[in-house]
Amino acid sequence: MQGNLIHGSLPKSFCNLSTSVKGIDMSNNRIQGSIPLALKNLFNLSALALLNNFIIDRIPDSIGALSNLQELGLRGNMLTGEIPSSIGNITSLKLLDLSSNIFQGYIPQSLGSCKQLIGLDLSNNNLIGSIPAEIVGLSSLSIVLSLANNNLSGSLPLQVGSLKNLGELDLSYNRLTGLIPASISECLVLERLHLEANSFHGQIPEALCPLRGLQELDLSNNNFSGPIPSFLAELSQLMYLNLSFNQLGGEVLEGGVFLNASSVSIYGNTELCGGVPGLKLPLCKSPSSKKVSSTKARVIYVVAGSLLCLALLLLCLSISYCKKKQTTANASTSLSFENQFLRISYEELLRATNRFSETNLIGKRRYGTVYKGILDGGVTVATKVLNLMQRGASRSFISECQTLGTIRHRNLVKILSVYSSVDFHGNDFKALIYEFMANESLEEWLHPSTIGRDDEHGESRNVRLVQRLRIAIDIATAIEYLHKSCYSTIVHGDLKPSNVLLDNNMVARVGDFGLAKIISMVSAEATRIQDQGSSTSTAVRGSIGYVSLEYGMGHKVSILGDTYSYGILLLEMFIGKRPTEEAFGHNLNLHNFVRMALSDRAMDIIDLRLWSEAGNRQQEIKIRDCIISVFEVGLAFSMESPLDRMDMTEAIRKLHLIKVSSETKERRIGM
């Protein structure tokens, strides 16, 4: 019964089904309420899938009585409390997906008793404590082990070496510390390793060298130091490498994955140099003789290492082939593994927002009204109350839950909770609770007169040139993450300044995913071809002025629609004019307005507030050079033909270089 519009609670009679029933799938519905205690009566059940509903409360301990259960999928609900240790009694369990709920407490060590587990996903919850050695010691795990987006601490247990058959290990966005244990070298089948956004330190370990099947490696946002190890260039299967925001230094390699600048991210490591020209790093200051000697040594090392690794690769392929045959058979009915919420009642929302009073009003959106609120625990939040009379509001609510509930990134607005039930009058009530952004939206900084501020106050809220560049990079980084780093590609669909919020430190957070679309993972080239293809009714509507032209002709949803919107937003940030201003008329849009002025009138269209940073002719030239470079990037994004638009990764690189150049010039001339 999956994929319908079934709503209401699970009736008690649900547990009176014939004891011969072996599989129940009611995923992707609108089921509310809690899991019945009498679930244990279905003792012959081998598969239970209730994914992506609105089920609340705890998982009953009685679930441990389902001794024949092999698959349990409860992802994408609002289950809370601790994960019951009784699940460890289900020793026949092969697939367990409890991700994207509100589970708290520790990971139960009893899960280590499930010796047949091939897939375990506990990501996107509020779990604390250390990673149990019993979990990483499960040698049966072969599909995925994901504990991402929790609050786990401590070090990675040495028992990680037991995961000899595992294809994907994701421990990202936790508080893990220490060194990566050398035992990870035994995970020879590993294809995807994500350790980003933790506090691992030390050098990138040589223990990763034997992992010849690695296709994705993300060590970004940690405290790794030292040089980039040479073996990373020898991982022939590596297609994505992210080492950004560490403390790495020295020369960047020029082989393997490092030959393709779009496959490597090394931002935030200020001591790196060299590499292929596409990385745009400064040249290394080393004698030419040493460079020649180093090159010869590298060639010898690569040749010798390749012969040795070829033998290892053949062995790994043989092992992998056998395991994949077994995994395919076992996972033919597997659950998908892909989302953390606070438990908030309607009464608490009323108290937090002063009964949704006008004094707490932050703003109004397409499908709802946003209020500032302070929860009982003292946390300040932004609460978006859906206007369910507005057509499309319910669909918008589901879209935001499906997207923001499954992802987390430092440049995306974080959803803290959702509420979907009734108010005190029995009317349907839906609300989304987000982190509160103290500096409001980018719209209110670019166009301060629109929110009733006088000129003096508006002037004080001006965003400086370098700050605008940082915000532009933040937005681009968020969109790149949605397009390239999620389990499924996500198209935002409504990128504009009012949907970009700024936190206390003026870090940009992209929000409002009411029009977002989750599309299947496709290559960049396939996306481009698809975008030129037939029309579909699922085209993103977006906002006038920011919607890509092909959507108006009915073309399919694609990441290139977001690319166009970002280009328009980028141009708007530096000329201070909306794309819908009457000055453009019917025959001119923002892209053409900037393109026509770029050759000889670029300075005439710059946001006048940016000129306040220039005190002399030299400073004016510096500002001019910077903004013309930004205009070129914005124009490359907003080309009429989707095939002509710049890639988001390349744009981040260009904007980063422009920012670094501007910051250097700013320090030099005392801006």
Side-chain angles (χ1 to χ4, degrees):
M1 294 185 284
Q2 58 91 17
N4 290 285
L5 298 175
I6 300 171
H7 57 87
S9 301
L10 291 172
K12 292 181 179 179
S13 57
F14 175 77
C15 300
N16 296 331
L17 294 172
S18 169
T19 54
S20 63
V21 171
K22 293 188 176 181
I24 297 177
D25 187 350
M26 300 181 72
S27 302
N28 300 303
N29 284 290
R30 300 177 180 177
I31 300 171
Q32 301 174 352
S34 57
I35 297 175
L37 295 175
L39 185 70
K40 62 181 180 180
N41 295 340
L42 301 174
F43 54 82
N44 279 321
L45 203 62
S46 63
L48 175 61
L50 300 172
L51 293 78
N52 298 319
N53 283 287
F54 299 99
I55 301 173
I56 60 172
D57 291 335
R58 298 169 177 263
I59 297 178
D61 287 333
S62 60
I63 199 167
L66 299 177
S67 57
N68 294 311
L69 200 63
Q70 297 181 28
E71 301 180 9
L72 176 59
L74 300 174
R75 169 174 53 83
N77 285 283
M78 292 181 282
L79 293 163
T80 187
E82 296 185 354
I83 297 173
S85 60
S86 62
I87 293 181
N89 298 332
I90 314 175
T91 55
S92 60
L93 204 58
K94 294 182 178 179
L95 293 167
L96 177 60
D97 187 353
L98 304 180
S99 63
S100 307
N101 281 283
I102 325 172
F103 288 117
Q104 301 170 341
Y106 301 93
I107 299 174
Q109 297 178 356
S110 62
L111 292 180
S113 300
C114 302
K115 302 296 185 182
Q116 299 184 47
L117 266 182
I118 60 174
L120 175 61
D121 193 343
L122 305 179
S123 62
N124 297 289
N125 282 289
N126 290 321
L127 300 173
I128 61 172
S130 58
I131 300 175
E134 293 83 356
I135 302 299
V136 293
L138 280 171
S139 59
S140 59
L141 288 169
S142 58
I143 299 177
V144 62
L145 171 58
S146 179
L147 307 176
N149 294 302
N150 281 289
N151 293 305
L152 300 174
S153 56
S155 58
L156 179 57
L158 297 175
Q159 288 81 356
V160 70
S162 299
L163 302 174
K164 301 179 187 296
N165 306 308
L166 188 64
E168 178 177 350
L169 177 60
D170 190 349
L171 305 177
S172 59
Y173 290 91
N174 280 290
R175 302 177 186 176
L176 301 176
T177 58
L179 304 172
I180 297 178
S183 58
I184 202 170
S185 63
E186 300 175 40
C187 304
L188 296 177
V189 186
L190 207 58
E191 295 180 347
R192 291 171 294 279
L193 177 59
H194 286 261
L195 301 177
E196 66 266 27
N198 282 288
S199 297
F200 290 112
H201 65 265
Q203 295 191 1
I204 298 175
E206 293 287 332
L208 298 177
C209 180
L211 309 186
R212 296 293 159 178
L214 272 183
Q215 299 175 13
E216 298 176 11
L217 177 60
D218 196 332
L219 304 177
S220 61
N221 289 279
N222 279 284
N223 296 315
F224 291 110
S225 57
I228 297 176
S230 59
F231 70 80
L232 290 178
E234 300 161 18
L235 298 177
S236 59
Q237 303 298 314
L238 197 58
M239 296 182 292
Y240 172 77
L241 175 64
N242 192 345
L243 304 176
S244 298
F245 301 104
N246 281 288
Q247 301 169 31
L248 303 173
E251 184 174 4
V252 176
L253 308 173
E254 296 185 15
V257 68
F258 294 94
L259 292 174
N260 185 356
S262 63
S263 299
V264 178
S265 180
I266 53 175
Y267 304 121
N269 294 283
T270 57
E271 300 301 317
L272 290 176
C273 62
V276 296
L279 293 175
K280 306 291 178 63
L281 293 174
L283 295 176
C284 295
K285 297 179 181 179
S286 58
S288 58
S289 59
K290 287 186 178 180
K291 187 173 182 179
V292 172
S293 175
S294 176
T295 302
K296 289 181 178 179
R298 189 184 302 118
V299 171
I300 294 172
Y301 181 83
V302 169
V303 172
S306 297
L307 293 175
L308 176 61
C309 296
L310 180 59
L312 283 173
L313 181 59
L314 291 174
L315 177 61
C316 292
L317 287 175
S318 176
I319 296 173
S320 178
Y321 176 76
C322 295
K323 292 296 180 182
K324 284 183 177 178
K325 283 186 69 178
Q326 180 182 356
T327 299
T328 302
N330 290 339
S332 58
T333 59
S334 66
L335 310 171
S336 58
F337 284 83
E338 291 172 11
N339 294 336
Q340 114 189 284
F341 301 121
L342 299 172
R343 180 87 180 276
I344 300 175
S345 66
Y346 179 75
E347 184 179 7
E348 185 176 359
L349 283 179
L350 280 180
R351 290 196 301 271
T353 59
N354 193 20
R355 305 188 71 83
F356 306 112
S357 71
E358 289 291 323
T359 56
N360 288 58
L361 182 65
I362 296 176
K364 294 186 177 182
R365 294 288 187 263
R366 183 193 303 260
Y367 295 118
T369 307
V370 184
Y371 299 89
K372 179 181 178 180
I374 301 177
L375 300 178
D376 291 347
V379 178
T380 304
V381 297
T383 301
K384 179 179 177 181
V385 178
L386 277 294
N387 177 11
L388 298 180
M389 300 299 293
Q390 174 72 32
R391 184 177 180 181
S394 293
R395 191 186 314 116
S396 167
F397 175 82
I398 294 172
S399 177
E400 293 220 53
C401 291
Q402 288 178 333
T403 50
L404 283 177
T406 60
I407 56 180
R408 186 187 292 180
H409 189 274
R410 64 183 177 279
N411 296 125
L412 295 177
V413 172
K414 182 180 179 182
I415 187 169
L416 300 177
S417 186
V418 298
Y419 184 91
S420 178
S421 186
V422 295
D423 59 20
F424 287 162
H425 302 289
N427 300 315
D428 287 342
F429 181 88
K430 297 183 187 297
L432 297 153
I433 297 90
Y434 306 95
E435 276 186 318
F436 178 74
M437 297 290 109
N439 279 312
E440 305 173 305
S441 73
L442 180 60
E443 166 86 10
E444 293 156 345
W445 287 79
L446 294 178
H447 312 291
S449 60
T450 64
I451 54 175
R453 292 183 173 89
D454 55 35
D455 292 340
E456 180 179 353
H457 197 175
E459 182 67 25
S460 68
R461 289 172 60 87
N462 178 40
V463 188
R464 292 174 61 83
L465 175 61
V466 171
Q467 203 166 38
R468 295 191 195 203
L469 285 169
R470 291 172 183 159
I471 292 172
I473 293 172
D474 287 343
I475 301 169
T477 303
I479 299 302
E480 181 195 43
Y481 169 79
L482 295 174
H483 291 175
K484 298 184 178 182
S485 299
C486 297
Y487 285 111
S488 295
T489 301
I490 297 175
V491 178
H492 183 277
D494 198 18
L495 192 60
K496 57 184 179 180
S498 61
N499 288 338
V500 176
L501 304 179
L502 302 169
D503 68 13
N504 290 325
N505 299 315
M506 294 297 285
V507 174
R509 309 282 190 94
V510 176
D512 201 336
F513 284 72
L515 295 181
K517 300 289 181 183
I518 301 177
I519 60 178
S520 59
M521 187 66 75
V522 291
S523 66
E525 183 60 25
T527 304
R528 292 173 180 271
I529 295 172
Q530 175 188 7
D531 190 75
Q532 294 293 308
S534 61
S535 64
T536 175
S537 61
T538 60
V540 176
R541 286 170 289 174
S543 299
I544 296 174
Y546 302 93
V547 181
S548 58
L549 306 181
E550 66 270 17
Y551 285 167
M553 296 182 287
H555 283 200
K556 290 184 177 180
V557 174
S558 83
I559 61 176
L560 297 176
D562 282 350
T563 301
Y564 179 90
S565 301
Y566 177 78
I568 297 298
L569 186 155
L570 185 63
L571 296 176
E572 179 180 356
M573 287 180 64
F574 290 86
I575 71 170
K577 295 182 184 296
R578 294 188 183 85
T580 55
E581 293 207 6
E582 295 180 359
F584 298 139
H586 295 292
N587 301 318
L588 191 64
N589 56 30
L590 186 56
H591 172 94
N592 292 333
F593 175 76
V594 174
R595 179 178 57 80
M596 292 168 57
L598 188 61
S599 58
D600 55 359
R601 294 188 301 105
M603 296 305 96
D604 296 338
I605 64 172
I606 290 177
D607 188 339
L608 294 178
R609 288 170 294 181
L610 294 176
W611 283 121
S612 65
E613 301 179 26
N616 53 51
R617 178 61 179 168
Q618 182 185 12
Q619 293 174 350
E620 289 180 1
I621 294 174
K622 305 298 183 184
I623 293 175
R624 175 185 179 277
D625 292 344
C626 171
I627 294 183
I628 286 179
S629 297
V630 173
F631 282 168
E632 290 173 347
V633 174
L635 292 174
F637 264 107
S638 54
M639 298 294 288
E640 181 173 345
S641 170
L643 292 174
D644 294 334
R645 293 173 194 160
M646 180 182 290
D647 176 73
M648 191 65 70
T649 302
E650 179 63 16
I652 294 174
R653 184 174 294 107
K654 287 182 177 293
L655 290 172
H656 181 76
L657 291 172
I658 295 170
K659 180 179 76 72
V660 171
S661 176
S662 299
E663 289 173 332
T664 303
K665 293 172 182 177
E666 185 174 9
R667 289 192 296 267
R668 189 179 303 153
I669 63 181
M671 288 172 58

